[in-house]
Amino acid sequence: YITVTILYSYGAELTDAQFLYIDLFSIMPLALFMSRTGPSKHLSVKQPSGALISVPILTSVLGQTVVQLIFQALTLYHLSRQDWYVKFNPDENKGADTAVAVSYEASALFLVSNIQYLATVLAFSEGKPFRKSFVTNPLFLASFVILLLGGLLLFFDAWPWFNAQIGIRWMPPEFRLSLFAITAASFAATILFEKIAVRYVAKVYSQRRTKKIHTKKGPKLLK
């Protein structure tokens, strides 16, 4: 969503093949298989959230959105500083088929966001205390590893013919390497935000709820 919104502001968009790759080969298998992680063998004294809308959940979703936005904006800023960069001109591509109307902006964001999806899924695959570790889910683990390797091959242009087919423009190896550094930082920030910030918010929220329940007065007896 963030990628598409940013590209629309440039008058550009992902190619049809890039949309297909993301939806069919990346998001779908991960979304299907991550739910197959089994429950923990041990009961926890902690109670999982019974509401879809709560402070910890909103912190996680909105916070991860901000993290992805920051690094995608950094990607475009870094791209704009390159001597070979040519900004996409929508006026020159009016009526062009989205399957062939490629741009540097879409190419860079596709490479970055493709890894960001994997980082987000990994961050949301929280194991303890309610579920087993994601490594006990062979289908999810295999899909994650295959997609990560595929994303890295796309990143470093290991398959030039495939990159050309899905609409990734050629970019110098030095730029791809610096772009990978940004993506790696994004990956780490995604995991750390979920492990540290969201856990802290959840802990404080749980403590306040418990304190509120304990201090709540019961109904007054009628004399």
Side-chain angles (χ1 to χ4, degrees):
Y1 175 77
I2 296 175
T3 303
V4 173
T5 303
I6 293 176
L7 289 177
Y8 279 167
S9 68
Y10 282 80
E13 58 184 311
L14 298 173
T15 66
D16 292 346
Q18 289 169 354
F19 272 120
L20 184 64
Y21 180 90
I22 292 172
D23 292 339
L24 187 60
F25 299 109
S26 184
I27 294 178
M28 182 177 292
L30 292 174
L32 288 175
F33 296 144
M34 70 181 297
S35 62
R36 296 179 63 88
T37 302
S40 175
K41 293 183 178 181
H42 306 284
L43 292 177
S44 172
V45 295
K46 297 181 180 180
Q47 182 179 358
S49 176
L52 291 176
I53 299 179
S54 64
V55 174
I57 292 177
L58 289 177
T59 300
S60 176
V61 174
L62 296 178
Q64 293 292 3
T65 302
V66 172
V67 170
Q68 313 309 324
L69 176 61
I70 289 174
F71 282 97
Q72 290 195 25
L74 180 60
T75 296
L76 291 179
Y77 173 76
H78 181 52
L79 176 65
S80 67
R81 305 282 293 178
Q82 306 306 308
D83 296 335
W84 45 263
Y85 166 69
V86 178
K87 185 176 181 181
F88 182 78
N89 187 346
D91 293 332
E92 295 179 357
N93 292 271
K94 284 184 177 180
D97 189 345
T98 56
V100 296
V102 298
S103 64
Y104 283 116
E105 295 86 356
S107 299
L109 288 185
F110 172 78
L111 293 174
V112 173
S113 63
N114 193 39
I115 304 297
Q116 285 182 327
Y117 295 139
L118 300 178
T120 304
V121 168
L122 188 62
F124 287 164
S125 298
E126 184 71 22
K128 297 180 179 179
F130 309 117
R131 295 191 300 172
K132 296 178 181 178
S133 171
F134 70 90
V135 297
T136 63
N137 184 345
L139 291 176
F140 173 79
L141 184 61
S143 299
F144 183 87
V145 172
I146 291 172
L147 289 170
L148 180 60
L149 291 176
L152 293 177
L153 291 174
L154 290 175
F155 231 110
F156 295 106
D157 203 16
W159 300 325
W161 59 271
F162 185 76
N163 283 25
Q165 287 296 319
I166 65 174
I168 299 177
R169 296 197 65 167
W170 181 89
M171 292 174 283
E174 298 80 7
F175 174 76
R176 288 177 180 266
L177 187 61
S178 61
L179 197 62
F180 177 73
I182 294 175
T183 308
S186 174
F187 196 105
T190 299
I191 301 299
L192 291 175
F193 179 82
E194 197 70 23
K195 298 294 184 182
I196 298 176
V198 175
R199 282 186 180 180
Y200 176 77
V201 170
K203 181 179 178 180
V204 173
Y205 179 73
S206 177
Q207 290 175 344
R208 289 186 177 181
R209 284 192 62 189
T210 302
K211 184 178 180 181
K212 184 177 180 180
I213 292 174
H214 288 168
T215 57
K216 187 177 181 180
K217 295 181 179 180
K220 295 182 178 179
L221 297 177
L222 295 176
K223 295 182 178 180

